[in-house]
Amino acid sequence: MRRWRWHVLLFVAVYGVALLATLPAPLALRWMEPLLAKVPNRPQLQGVEGTLWSGHAVQASDRGVALGELQWELSPWALLLGRLAVTLHISGSDGYLDGELATGLGMKQLQLSRVNGQLPAALLKSFAPSLPVKPAGSFALNLNEAMIEGTRLRSLDGRVVWNKGGVTAPLALEFGDLAAEFSSSDEGVAGHVKDSGGPLQLTAELKLGADGSYTLSGKSAARSGAAPALATSLSLLGQPDAQGTIPFRFTGRL
């Protein structure tokens, strides 16, 4: 009798593991709806196929912005420890994004790691409608790690390059390539920005405090051969110093 019970328990366990391993992604998403409902502005998925552990969506969108096709791999081992850990790949007609995302079941803190991608800069305007300009060009991302808690960025380590940077509205301006290196400490996030020899000469320092405060300071100038509109726009920042560059400093709170 005991051997018979053992065989039944083993069968149930094997069947349960097989059921979880092949759990359809659309069904899993319906079951997870109460948990996902707690996430503000959560992404929307269309055309979901595959399983909970390995699947894809024909279209992923965030806040009404279409991002492209999404593929994911969910770690079952992290789930056993009460965490969600997923490897993501997003590919669209004008860019891609790869990375790993981890969070607790309460989803109060998001950790991103090994993020690489190439995204159109115009997406920034879609996610931040209050931005007074419309960026042009594209962002190349190479981030080791980023931590987001609630709506605040707690840490950021890596490199972002703004290729063929510029704006198309309210005035068309070309900046050239700009590179930013980010690092984190107990005091917050620090960023170092420098141009690569394009129309805009720029060196800047960004400090983002843990309390949401920020300071952006640096020097800028229009190089010889740049469009006159660039020099005119930079003159709004103030008067040039002895080296012909215009110092600037902005502070506030996000």
Side-chain angles (χ1 to χ4, degrees):
M1 179 66 71
R2 291 181 179 177
R3 180 178 299 178
W4 179 80
R5 290 179 179 177
W6 171 252
H7 288 168
V8 171
L9 291 175
L10 180 61
F11 172 80
V12 171
V14 172
Y15 180 78
V17 171
L19 183 63
L20 284 176
T22 58
L23 184 64
L27 179 60
L29 287 175
R30 285 198 295 271
W31 287 354
M32 294 172 63
E33 183 60 32
L35 179 62
L36 296 175
K38 299 178 182 179
V39 182
N41 300 317
R42 64 187 174 97
Q44 301 295 319
L45 304 179
Q46 297 177 346
V48 177
E49 298 179 350
T51 68
L52 170 65
W53 313 105
S54 179
H56 75 277
V58 174
Q59 182 63 260
S61 60
D62 189 1
R63 305 177 198 184
V65 180
L67 302 177
E69 183 179 358
L70 168 67
Q71 297 178 335
W72 73 82
E73 298 285 340
L74 182 65
S75 170
W77 309 114
L79 200 59
L80 290 174
L81 298 175
R83 289 181 59 79
L84 295 175
V86 58
T87 300
L88 302 172
H89 173 72
I90 299 174
S91 58
S93 59
D94 50 2
Y96 74 95
L97 186 67
D98 294 320
E100 299 175 8
L101 182 150
T103 181
L105 295 181
M107 295 188 178
K108 296 180 179 179
Q109 189 179 74
L110 297 178
Q111 180 178 353
L112 303 173
S113 57
R114 288 185 278 276
V115 177
N116 294 279
Q118 186 87 24
L119 300 173
L123 274 179
L124 189 59
K125 180 67 173 179
S126 300
F127 289 108
S130 61
L131 197 66
V133 296
K134 184 177 181 180
S138 63
F139 292 120
L141 308 177
N142 186 3
L143 305 178
N144 300 318
E145 187 179 61
M147 182 75 72
I148 302 172
E149 186 173 334
T151 58
R152 289 184 176 176
L153 180 66
R154 294 302 187 188
S155 67
L156 179 62
D157 295 274
R159 177 180 173 87
V160 178
V161 178
W162 190 0
N163 295 307
K164 297 181 180 179
V167 297
T168 57
L171 187 66
L173 300 172
E174 294 183 5
F175 302 152
D177 295 347
L178 305 175
E181 301 278 354
F182 295 97
S183 61
S184 302
S185 66
D186 293 339
E187 298 178 353
V189 176
H192 305 275
V193 185
K194 186 174 177 57
D195 71 86
S196 299
L200 176 64
Q201 179 184 341
L202 175 68
T203 57
E205 303 288 330
L206 171 65
K207 294 183 179 180
L208 180 60
D211 60 352
S213 62
Y214 71 86
T215 300
L216 177 63
S217 59
K219 294 183 177 183
S220 63
R223 283 195 170 90
S224 175
L230 179 59
T232 301
S233 298
L234 292 177
S235 66
L236 299 176
L237 297 176
Q239 296 297 319
D241 56 19
Q243 289 74 40
T245 58
I246 301 175
F248 60 87
R249 179 181 174 85
F250 301 100
T251 61
R253 187 177 299 273
L254 298 176

